Amino acid sequence: MLEDLQKNLHFPPFLWNIILGCAAVLTGFVIKLLLTVFLKYTARNITDYSLVRSVVNRLGKPINYFLPVLVFNMVLPFMELSPEPSTILSKIVEICLIISFGFMLTGLVKVFEDYMYHTYDLKKEDNLRERKLRTQLQFVRKLTISMILVLTLCAVLLSFDNLRKIGAGLLTGVGVGGIIVGFAAQRSLSNFLAGMQIAFTQPIRIDDVLVVEGEWGRVEEITLTYVVLAIWDERKLILPINYFIEKPFQNWTRTGSNILGTAFLYLDYNAPVDAIRTEFERLLEDHPLWDKRVKVVHVTNITDRVMEIRLLISARSSGKAFDLRCFLREKMMLFIQEKHPYCLPKTRAEFDKKPSDQLL
């Protein structure tokens, strides 16, 4: 059909090639635009997550490159080119197709990631399963995208006959080169293997609550080489990933987010423990932060000056336990000040009175 059109129009070869190339590129953009409009129209009434919207956002830019190049490649045989320019142009189009296709594959990986993030939402109260899967998914995504980039580069290089010969010649030095690279990248390989171990054995997961180096925070990001811990005061603690293989740390959400919390009162020996226990239970009875599992008052120590009273409570998460502990300290001290001020800590001293004759 295109050949008949060229014969009828009698365009010069140069002008015909330009018109055909521009028409191919424009056709690719028009197809992409129509697809985008159709997909957006399909998802117009969806306010929450939409697979269609994710496809448009993640694959929109890769398709911008892929479709025009694909259509251009389809019309390339109909262009009037001499053998050498035709070979060069074909090679350029082939490389562009490989790169744009690799770009599309990375977009598909991100579409899958969006779907999994929506399906396994971290906003749930008990999100242990979601944190497990997200930790693995983050590592797999990074590894998959890295492999796609490497394979895309290999496909580009293998499209050149001369580079194939160079690659075959380099195979003889792979053994020695591998040993050299292994020694040079020993630390990086150690981190990479530690990352794989963490992703699948999961001593830590995304959104886990950790105490590391004396800091309390949540796991915000796990990469192939390091872990980012978001500290409670908005600082970021960045640690090499093999730290969590080699050194001890506290994980407060390893098997669940439920936790026990304590608040201590230091009072005089005459403090009414039963009244304190009654007030403690009254404060907890309908409090939204208490999960109704544990509420205990114990006298845990007696020193030479005060009596130590421990208030033990339970909560669904460490953050709620912290807020509940602060609430109990405030209200219990207010109760003691108002109802039993006599049992606040005192310093006792005994003075010996000397006989009056010894004072003279």
Side-chain angles (χ1 to χ4, degrees):
M1 181 178 176
L2 290 176
E3 292 176 352
D4 296 337
L5 183 63
Q6 163 64 352
K7 291 177 181 179
N8 294 331
L9 295 175
H10 302 291
F11 283 138
F14 177 74
L15 181 59
W16 169 252
N17 293 336
I18 292 177
I19 293 173
L20 200 59
C22 292
V25 173
L26 184 61
T27 301
F29 281 121
V30 170
I31 294 172
K32 188 265 177 183
L33 180 62
L34 293 175
L35 283 173
T36 302
V37 171
F38 173 75
L39 292 175
K40 286 185 176 179
Y41 179 80
T42 304
R44 67 190 185 283
N45 296 324
I46 301 175
T47 57
D48 195 9
Y49 167 82
S50 168
L51 179 61
V52 174
R53 188 183 296 117
S54 177
V55 169
V56 172
N57 293 337
R58 298 297 191 181
L59 294 179
K61 189 174 289 186
I63 290 177
N64 273 341
Y65 302 116
F66 180 74
L67 281 180
V69 175
L70 179 63
V71 178
F72 188 87
N73 184 64
M74 293 169 63
V75 303
L76 189 58
F78 301 99
M79 290 185 176
E80 297 184 2
L81 296 169
S82 57
E84 186 174 350
S86 178
T87 302
I88 294 173
L89 188 58
S90 297
K91 183 61 67 176
I92 293 173
V93 172
E94 180 184 354
I95 292 172
C96 290
L97 273 176
I98 293 171
I99 294 173
S100 58
F101 184 70
F103 197 12
M104 281 188 62
L105 288 179
T106 60
L108 285 172
V109 172
K110 293 177 181 178
V111 169
F112 177 73
E113 182 185 34
D114 289 344
Y115 173 76
M116 297 301 289
Y117 275 20
H118 169 71
T119 305
Y120 298 93
D121 192 359
L122 285 177
K123 294 178 182 178
K124 295 180 180 178
E125 187 69 35
D126 184 10
N127 59 2
L128 178 61
R129 183 184 178 190
E130 285 73 16
R131 289 186 286 111
K132 284 182 178 181
L133 189 135
R134 283 206 182 194
T135 302
Q136 293 175 343
L137 183 63
Q138 191 176 87
F139 180 82
V140 171
R141 173 181 59 84
K142 293 177 185 295
L143 185 62
T144 303
I145 291 177
S146 299
M147 291 178 62
I148 289 172
L149 293 176
V150 171
L151 292 174
T152 301
L153 179 61
C154 290
V156 171
L157 293 177
L158 291 174
S159 66
F160 296 94
D161 293 334
N162 292 336
L163 291 178
R164 289 182 186 178
K165 295 176 183 178
I166 293 173
L170 289 174
L171 286 175
T172 57
V174 167
V176 176
I179 294 173
I180 295 173
V181 170
F183 279 112
Q186 184 176 3
R187 190 69 177 176
S188 298
L189 289 173
S190 173
N191 283 333
F192 177 76
L193 293 175
M196 290 186 64
Q197 184 175 348
I198 283 176
F200 293 99
T201 62
Q202 296 194 339
I204 61 172
R205 293 176 291 266
I206 297 296
D207 206 44
D208 265 354
V209 175
L210 307 183
V211 177
V212 184
E213 300 289 324
E215 300 284 2
W216 183 98
R218 291 183 178 273
V219 177
E220 185 177 78
E221 184 180 1
I222 302 175
T223 72
L224 297 179
T225 55
Y226 63 87
V227 175
V228 179
L229 197 68
I231 308 302
W232 65 272
D233 58 1
E234 299 187 358
R235 290 178 293 139
K236 307 294 184 185
L237 180 63
I238 300 175
L239 298 161
I241 199 163
N242 59 2
Y243 177 96
F244 298 94
I245 302 297
E246 299 172 355
K247 295 185 178 181
F249 59 92
Q250 295 183 39
N251 188 337
W252 289 9
T253 54
R254 179 70 179 86
T255 56
S257 59
N258 294 337
I259 196 169
L260 299 180
T262 58
F264 289 94
L265 303 177
Y266 296 93
L267 303 173
D268 195 64
Y269 306 132
N270 57 7
V273 178
D274 289 338
I276 290 172
R277 183 177 288 110
T278 301
E279 177 66 12
F280 165 74
E281 291 176 353
R282 186 189 70 81
L283 290 172
L284 278 185
E285 190 62 34
D286 297 317
H287 201 284
L289 296 178
W290 182 51
D291 65 359
K292 305 187 185 303
R293 289 189 302 120
V294 178
K295 57 173 182 177
V296 179
V297 175
H298 282 148
V299 177
T300 52
N301 195 17
I302 295 178
T303 70
D304 58 342
R305 293 188 57 203
V306 295
M307 175 172 56
E308 180 185 80
I309 298 177
R310 185 188 70 182
L311 313 178
L312 181 65
I313 50 90
S314 59
R316 292 187 180 89
S317 68
S318 57
K320 292 181 178 180
F322 178 81
D323 292 340
L324 184 55
R325 291 163 62 201
C326 294
F327 168 80
L328 287 174
R329 291 190 193 100
E330 177 184 345
K331 296 302 181 182
M332 291 303 296
M333 288 308 302
L334 184 62
F335 166 75
I336 290 168
Q337 289 172 0
E338 292 179 351
K339 303 296 183 180
H340 306 282
Y342 59 88
C343 68
L344 293 172
K346 300 181 180 66
T347 299
R348 291 177 171 80
E350 183 177 345
F351 298 94
D352 291 335
K353 294 182 178 181
K354 296 182 180 181
S356 58
D357 57 348
Q358 292 182 4
L359 298 175
L360 298 177

